[in-house]
Amino acid sequence: MSERYDAHTIEAKWQARWASAGVDAASDDPADTRPRYYCLVMFPYPSGNLHMGHVRNYCLGDAVARYKRMRGFNVLHPIGWDAFGLPAENAAIKHGRSPAEWTWANIAQMRAQLRRLGLSYDWSREIATCHPDYYRWEQWLFTRLLDKGLAYQAEAEVNWCEACHTVLANEQVEDGACWRCDTPVTRKRLRQWFIRITAYAEELLADLDRLSGWPARVVEMQRNWIGKSVGAEVRFPLCGRKDALTVFTTRPDTLMGVTYLALAAGHPLVQERAREDAQLAAFVAECARSSTREADIETMEKRGMPLGIEAEHPVTGERIPVWVANFVLMGYGTGAVMSVPAHDARDFAFAQKYGLPIKQVVAPVDGEWDLAQGAFCEDGVLMASGAFDGLDSATARARITEWLEARGLGKARVQYRLRDWLVSRQRYWGAPIPVVHCPECGVVPVPDEDLPVRLPTDLRPTGAGSPLADCDAFRQTRCPRCKGAAERELDTFDTFMESSWYMNRYTSPRNTRAMVDARAMARWAPVDQYIGGVEHAVLHLLYARFYHKLMRDLGLFTSEEGGDEPFVNLLTQGMVLKDGAKMSKSKGNTVDPNALIERMGADTARLFTLFAAPPEKDLEWNDAGVDGAHRFLNRVWRLQHRLADWPEGASDTAACKALRFAVHDTIRKVTHAFEHGFAFNVAIAALMELANALQAFSVAGVHARAVFREGLEALVTMLAPFVPHFACEMGERLGFETMATLRAWPEVDEAALARDEVTLVVQVQGKKRGEVTVAKDADRDAVLAAARADAAIAKWLDGMDIVKVILVPGRLLNIVVRPR
RNA sequence: GCCGGGAUGGUGGAAUCGGUAGACACACGGGACUUAAAAUCCCGAGGAUGGCAACAUCCGUGCGGGUUCGACUCCCGCUCCCGGCACCA
C-alpha cells in the first residue's frame, strides 16, 4: 500500500487496458442516444518526430475529449497524417529512400510516440492522406469542379519558389518569401491549375459573422485576406483610338477630380507602348525587377512616366494624360487607376512630384480645406462637380455610378483582394491531378471508374524536376474520350487540398462509395471544437471553409446535415518557447518529448504543458516547472495512504464542513474552466489547492475519513482528463468500479457550498480596514454594527459622520464617511 | 499607415458581473527530519517607512487624466511590446 508512484509501469498498464477495452472509439450505433461531440486537433505532418508543439496541441484536445466523455457525450476524437509534402522528397533525396517508404516509417514512429502520451484517439479511424483510398476522393471532387467550371487551367503570373522548385498560392507567400523554406519568391508566367475560391468570396466573408466561436483575430485576418472593396468600374475612352481604359475605384464621388490615369507596368497598353519607346521599356523593366522584392515596396519611391497617350474624361470630355506608375499593381482591379490627387494621399504625392494638376471636388462637411496641408481623403460634400454639387460623398457615389451605368460608361463593382487558389505543384510527392492531356481532345478529366489516379510510390526524386516526367508507366496513357495515346498531367496537388476536408472524412473514414457519407456527416459534423496553431489562420482554415462549402454544393451533404462551416469553435494555441524563442534545432533550444516522457512519464508532461500557461498564450518551457508538476502528482499519490490507518476519535464538524466546501467549490471551478474557455492552467491550480487542503486536513474519526475520501475521489476524478493513467491507477486503488476516465464527472453539491456565516471585507472610503464574520443573511445594519464593534475598524470611524453604507452580500461592506 | 491583442511580484501566471490585487506554481530564504545529502514536511516573502516584535501606516496592476462609495477591470489621451495586413486604387 505504501509503494511509490511509478509512472512507467502505470502508463504501460493503462494504455494496454484502454486499447483492449476499446474505450476511445466513437460509436456510430444509431441506438446510441448519447449527445455527440466532435473534438479535433490539427493532424500532424509525419516528420518522424513529435515536438512540444504537437504535445501541447494534443494534450489540449485530449483533455477536452476526455472531459466530454465523462460528461456523457459520445465523442469523436480522431487522428491521422497529413502525409504528402515536400520534406518527404527532400529526405528521400538525402537518404536515398523513396518518399513513400520514408513517410510510412515516420508514421509508424509518430504513432508510437502519440500512443505513449496516452491520447484517447479513435485509432480505428486513422487516415493518411497519401493513401489512394483517401486522395481518390479529392481527385473525384476536382473532376466535378472542372465540370462546374470551378476548376480551370490558366496562364498567369505566379509565385515561384526556387528552393522548393514549385509554384505557391498567394496564401503561401509570407513577406515575399516561401512559407515553408523562407526563400524569396520570384514571379513567373506559367500555365497552372486554379480553383475558383473567388466565386465563394462573398459567402466566405459573410459567414465569418457566424463564427462566434472563433478567436476574433482569426476572423479579422480572414476578413483582411478576402479584402472586399465596393466601388465602380469606370471606362475612359482613349483619344485617337477605338479602345478604352477601364479603372476600378472605391471613390466614384471624386470622379470630377480625376486629373490623370495611372497604369501598372504590366498593363497591356503600357507593354504596347514600350515596344516603341526605349525609355519607357527601360522603366517597365525596372518596375518588373523591383516588384519581386516586396519587402522594399514600403520605402520605394513613387515614380512614373507619361505614356504620351491621352484619355477622355467620361463626364466632362476633358483630355487627361495617361501615365505608367510603379505603385499600380497589375494583379489588383484592372491594373489601372484614376488618380484624384486632391483626395488621395498617394495620388497627391505623385501629382506634386510630376507637376500634375490637383483639382478639389469634395469639401469637408463643416468648412474649408486647404490643399497646402495635403489631400483631403475623408468623405464630405461635393463641389466643382456640376450636377452633383452639394451631395454628400455616400449619395454621390451611388448617383455617379448610376449616371455612368445609364450611359454605358461604367458600372457598380465589388472587388476582392482574394485570388483564385493555385493548386498545382511541380512536385512528385502529392496527389496526382486527375486529368489527361490528349493531342486530339485537349484536357480530359479522368472518369470516375478510372479513379484513383495512383501515384507511383517507388520513384526516387533526385532534386532535378519531378520523377513523374521520367516514369513512362505513369506518364503515358490513353485518352478516356478518344482512346488515343495521351499523357497524364504531371503536376500534383497542393497538400492543402488534402487537409481541407480530412475533418469530414473522419466521419466515415473507410467509405468506399463516396467522399463522405451524408448520414455520418449529420451524425458528427461540423467539428464542435477544433484546436491548432494560429499559423494556419488564412491558409488551412480558409481553404477548409471553402472546401466545406464546395462539398455541400456538390450535394455530398446539406446545410442541415453538415452545416455551412466546418468548425464551430476554434482554439488557437500558443507556441512552445524555450529561452524566449521558438524551439528549433538550429537554436539548440529544443526539448525532446520522448526524453521527457522517459524521465518523468507522460502524465507529468501532460500536466505541466496544460498548467504552465493559458492555452492561447505562448508557453515558456521551464524544466523546474516540470519537476513541480511531478512533485504534485507524488503528493496526490501519497494522499491515498492516509486512508489506511485513519486516527479514531470524534470528528471536528466545522473542519469537515470547510473541507467539503473546498471540494465542491473546486468542482465548480474546474467545471467552469471546461465549459468556458479551457483555462486549464486555472483548473489545475484549483486542483492543486484542493490537494493542499486534503493534505492539511488532519481530523480524526469516521466522519472525517468519509469527507476526506469524498474529496480525494473528486480530486482523482477531475484529474482524469489531464493525467489519465495516474487517475485510473489511483481510482483502482481507491476502489472505483469503473476506470477514472469513464466515471461520471462530479456534480456540485450546493448544500456543501451553503454557509451559515460569511466573512465580509470591511472598507472605509473604499480602503480595506478589516474583516467581520456575520450570519449569512445579516442585513446592512447588523454588518455595520459588527464592523463598529471591531476596534481596528472603529478607529477609522472616530470623529466621522457616516454618509453612506454599501453592502455587497457575501462580499464586502463599504462605509463612506465625512469628517464631523 | 491600417486592423487586432497585450503590459500585474525575481519568473510563469490568477482575480466569475466594478467589490480583499498577487490564487496556484517556479525560483529564493529560513526551519524540521538526517551522521550527511537526496527526498519529504513546515514557515516566510509586492515595495517603502517605523518598530526588538506582534503590528501599524503609506505606496502599488505601463504612463497621465476621468467616472464611481469602490477601478487590474469602465471612459478619454499617451508610451511600449506582440501578431496580422499593406503602394489594394
Side-chain angles (χ1 to χ4, degrees):
Chain A
M1 195 60 187
S2 62
E3 62 186 283
R4 298 198 51 194
Y5 165 48
D6 173 6
H8 292 110
T9 310
I10 290 171
E11 288 171 9
K13 165 182 166 183
W14 288 97
Q15 283 167 20
R17 279 214 201 165
W18 297 331
S20 64
V23 292
D24 299 326
S27 167
D28 274 318
D29 181 356
D32 192 324
T33 56
R34 288 177 295 169
R36 284 177 284 260
Y37 192 86
Y38 187 177
C39 174
L40 183 65
V41 290
M42 289 183 184
F43 68 165
Y45 178 80
S47 63
N49 277 304
L50 210 59
H51 56 70
M52 276 301 166
H54 290 129
V55 172
R56 189 175 190 199
N57 190 197
Y58 304 147
C59 289
L60 284 165
D62 201 51
V64 173
R66 287 183 181 280
Y67 168 76
K68 285 289 175 182
R69 283 197 199 97
M70 293 174 78
R71 274 290 190 185
F73 286 81
N74 179 11
V75 173
L76 173 56
H77 187 215
I79 191 74
W81 313 98
D82 189 13
F84 273 136
L86 208 45
E89 282 188 62
N90 294 337
I93 294 164
K94 202 166 154 192
H95 302 119
R97 303 167 74 186
S98 77
E101 243 182 301
W102 185 84
T103 300
W104 289 111
N106 283 350
I107 287 175
Q109 197 174 324
M110 284 182 84
R111 188 190 293 125
Q113 291 176 353
L114 289 184
R115 283 185 180 276
R116 285 189 69 191
L117 271 171
L119 302 165
S120 62
Y121 295 124
D122 180 348
W123 287 98
S124 71
R125 292 173 190 256
E126 180 183 358
I127 56 177
T129 59
C130 63
H131 198 289
D133 289 347
Y134 183 82
Y135 65 71
R136 166 190 181 173
W137 295 108
E138 180 177 315
Q139 293 176 334
W140 171 88
L141 181 106
F142 186 77
T143 61
R144 291 304 176 279
L145 296 181
L146 280 174
D147 293 345
K148 295 183 77 174
L150 286 168
Y152 63 93
Q153 200 180 19
E155 186 175 308
E157 181 131 301
V158 296
N159 307 299
W160 176 265
C161 173
E162 197 52 55
C164 296
H165 207 267
T166 187
V167 297
L168 299 168
N170 286 322
E171 290 79 11
Q172 294 154 27
V173 180
E174 292 172 354
D175 265 336
C178 172
W179 70 290
R180 219 180 245 290
C181 68
D182 227 29
T183 306
V185 164
T186 54
R187 308 284 296 174
K188 266 196 178 182
R189 255 197 114 67
L190 289 171
R191 195 160 175 80
Q192 295 293 319
W193 288 99
F194 293 86
I195 297 185
R196 215 177 287 281
I197 191 170
T198 53
Y200 281 75
E202 195 55 50
E203 192 189 343
L204 287 167
L205 182 68
D207 282 358
L208 286 174
D209 293 335
R210 294 160 65 172
L211 300 178
S212 56
W214 282 39
R217 65 174 179 144
V218 176
V219 171
E220 209 43 45
M221 282 162 74
Q222 292 214 357
R223 203 186 300 285
N224 275 339
W225 190 261
I226 295 167
K228 180 181 182 176
S229 38
V230 177
E233 230 174 57
V234 187
R235 271 167 57 86
F236 286 78
L238 291 166
C239 298
R241 297 168 59 116
K242 290 191 197 79
D243 51 345
L245 277 174
T246 302
V247 305
F248 172 73
T249 180
T250 54
R251 293 294 304 273
D253 54 317
T254 63
L255 181 62
M256 300 308 175
V258 175
T259 57
Y260 63 99
L261 301 184
L263 305 188
H267 195 283
L269 183 62
V270 176
Q271 301 279 318
E272 178 195 316
R273 296 289 300 162
R275 281 196 282 277
E276 295 149 26
D277 183 339
Q279 218 184 328
L280 185 63
F283 180 76
V284 168
E286 204 189 312
C287 288
R289 245 196 327 281
S290 56
S291 76
T292 59
R293 296 166 53 197
E294 294 189 25
D296 298 341
I297 276 175
E298 191 183 347
T299 52
M300 205 164 78
E301 201 191 347
K302 304 198 180 356
R303 297 173 52 215
M305 266 186 81
L307 282 185
I309 296 181
E310 285 181 318
E312 198 180 292
H313 192 284
V315 182
T316 63
E318 227 176 317
R319 293 166 80 91
I320 52 175
V322 180
W323 284 59
V324 54
N326 65 345
F327 62 81
V328 181
L329 303 175
M330 193 55 221
Y332 186 78
T334 59
V337 300
M338 58 179 226
S339 295
V340 187
H343 305 293
D344 181 282
R346 195 181 48 203
D347 296 346
F348 188 90
F350 193 83
Q352 279 202 316
K353 177 168 180 178
Y354 292 106
L356 290 155
I358 299 171
K359 186 182 166 198
Q360 188 185 348
V361 291
V362 181
V365 178
D366 48 0
E368 303 276 296
W369 184 262
D370 181 7
L371 283 174
Q373 30 179 330
F376 173 65
C377 304
E378 318 273 297
D379 276 7
V381 178
L382 265 70
M383 55 179 274
S385 297
F388 304 107
D389 278 3
L391 296 179
D392 64 272
S393 288
T395 311
R397 280 195 279 272
R399 290 283 180 77
I400 291 176
T401 305
E402 283 164 25
W403 192 93
L404 291 167
E405 267 182 41
R407 287 158 187 76
L409 293 166
K411 60 181 182 205
R413 177 163 159 195
V414 177
Q415 173 72 34
Y416 298 92
R417 204 182 80 98
L418 181 72
R419 319 281 173 78
D420 279 341
W421 179 12
L422 199 176
V423 295
S424 44
R425 297 289 179 273
Q426 293 68 52
R427 303 298 314 194
Y428 157 59
W429 190 238
I433 297 176
V435 298
V436 167
H437 297 274
C438 170
E440 296 301 320
C441 312
V443 170
V444 181
V446 174
D448 291 0
E449 58 273 23
D450 294 341
L451 294 178
V453 176
R454 284 172 192 274
L455 183 75
T457 54
D458 53 348
L459 305 185
R460 298 275 169 90
T462 58
S466 169
L468 289 176
D470 306 319
C471 176
D472 290 346
F474 178 79
R475 182 176 189 153
Q476 291 168 5
T477 186
R478 296 259 147 209
C479 171
R481 201 166 290 164
C482 70
K483 312 298 176 202
E487 292 203 346
R488 285 196 190 282
E489 170 68 51
L490 296 178
D491 282 359
T492 52
F493 279 133
D494 178 6
T495 55
F496 281 104
M497 286 282 278
E498 287 90 58
S499 55
S500 295
W501 64 284
Y502 78 110
M503 62 282 173
N504 290 340
R505 183 66 179 173
Y506 278 137
T507 65
S508 53
R510 306 286 173 254
N511 194 334
T512 53
R513 295 212 187 90
M515 193 168 187
V516 295
D517 176 70
R519 280 167 313 172
M521 286 295 285
R523 191 170 302 130
W524 297 111
V527 173
D528 292 290
Q529 184 64 55
Y530 197 35
I531 305 173
V534 75
E535 65 274 16
H536 287 112
V538 284
L539 288 159
H540 163 60
L541 289 169
L542 181 67
Y543 297 142
R545 293 183 59 222
F546 171 46
Y547 235 91
H548 197 78
K549 294 169 193 298
L550 286 176
M551 290 171 76
R552 177 200 62 195
D553 292 347
L554 283 170
L556 288 161
F557 54 84
T558 63
S559 295
E560 290 69 38
E561 287 162 339
D564 295 315
E565 286 285 333
F567 312 115
V568 178
N569 295 295
L570 172 68
L571 174 67
T572 50
Q573 102 226 12
M575 290 187 297
V576 182
L577 309 178
K578 181 96 193 287
D579 309 323
K582 190 175 175 174
M583 289 186 185
S584 75
K585 272 185 204 148
S586 58
K587 290 198 197 86
N589 62 345
T590 54
V591 174
D592 174 22
N594 303 306
L596 178 67
I597 294 169
E598 196 55 51
R599 198 159 52 89
M600 295 286 193
D603 281 333
T604 296
R606 296 173 59 122
L607 187 70
F608 174 72
T609 306
L610 295 172
F611 176 66
E616 63 283 356
K617 281 188 77 171
D618 287 348
L619 186 162
E620 175 65 33
W621 195 262
N622 175 358
D623 288 324
V626 177
D627 294 341
H630 194 70
R631 262 201 302 275
F632 168 71
L633 291 179
N634 270 305
R635 215 157 57 228
V636 175
W637 180 263
R638 285 192 298 269
L639 288 175
Q640 64 181 303
H641 305 322
R642 302 257 310 266
L643 287 167
D645 47 352
W646 196 270
E648 286 177 36
S651 295
D652 173 347
T653 49
C656 289
K657 218 171 164 192
L659 184 64
R660 283 206 82 221
F661 182 91
V663 170
H664 288 274
D665 195 43
T666 306
I667 297 173
R668 198 178 53 78
K669 283 183 190 160
V670 177
T671 306
H672 184 268
F674 274 105
E675 299 291 344
H676 302 99
F678 306 124
F680 297 139
N681 56 327
V682 184
I684 292 168
L687 292 170
M688 286 173 168
E689 276 187 88
L690 177 58
N692 291 344
L694 286 167
Q695 191 168 313
F697 185 72
S698 58
V699 178
V702 284
H703 176 58
R705 185 178 186 273
V707 169
F708 177 87
R709 179 177 251 286
E710 180 199 5
L712 184 56
E713 289 187 359
L715 175 63
V716 168
T717 309
M718 287 189 285
L719 279 170
F722 308 116
V723 286
H725 318 83
F726 177 89
C728 283
E729 182 66 23
M730 279 282 283
E732 190 174 65
R733 285 158 190 259
L734 288 171
F736 286 2
E737 293 188 356
T738 54
M739 293 181 193
T741 48
L742 297 178
R743 291 192 108 206
W745 189 255
E747 295 288 342
V748 175
D749 178 2
E750 295 295 339
L753 295 176
R755 327 193 85 165
D756 332 318
E757 289 195 319
V758 285
T759 300
L760 300 182
V761 166
V762 179
Q763 297 182 333
V764 178
Q765 307 293 63
K767 289 189 179 187
K768 183 186 171 185
R769 295 304 181 191
E771 289 178 357
V772 290
T773 299
V774 294
K776 177 189 66 179
D777 48 4
D779 63 11
R780 212 172 57 172
D781 292 340
V783 181
L784 183 58
R788 302 180 94 150
D790 185 313
I793 298 166
K795 76 176 183 188
W796 294 96
L797 304 174
D798 275 354
M800 299 285 174
D801 280 330
I802 294 178
V803 179
K804 198 173 173 183
V805 178
I806 294 132
L807 176 69
V808 182
R811 288 205 176 262
L812 64 70
L813 181 82
N814 188 14
I815 305 165
V816 186
V817 297
R818 181 171 56 200
R820 189 170 289 149

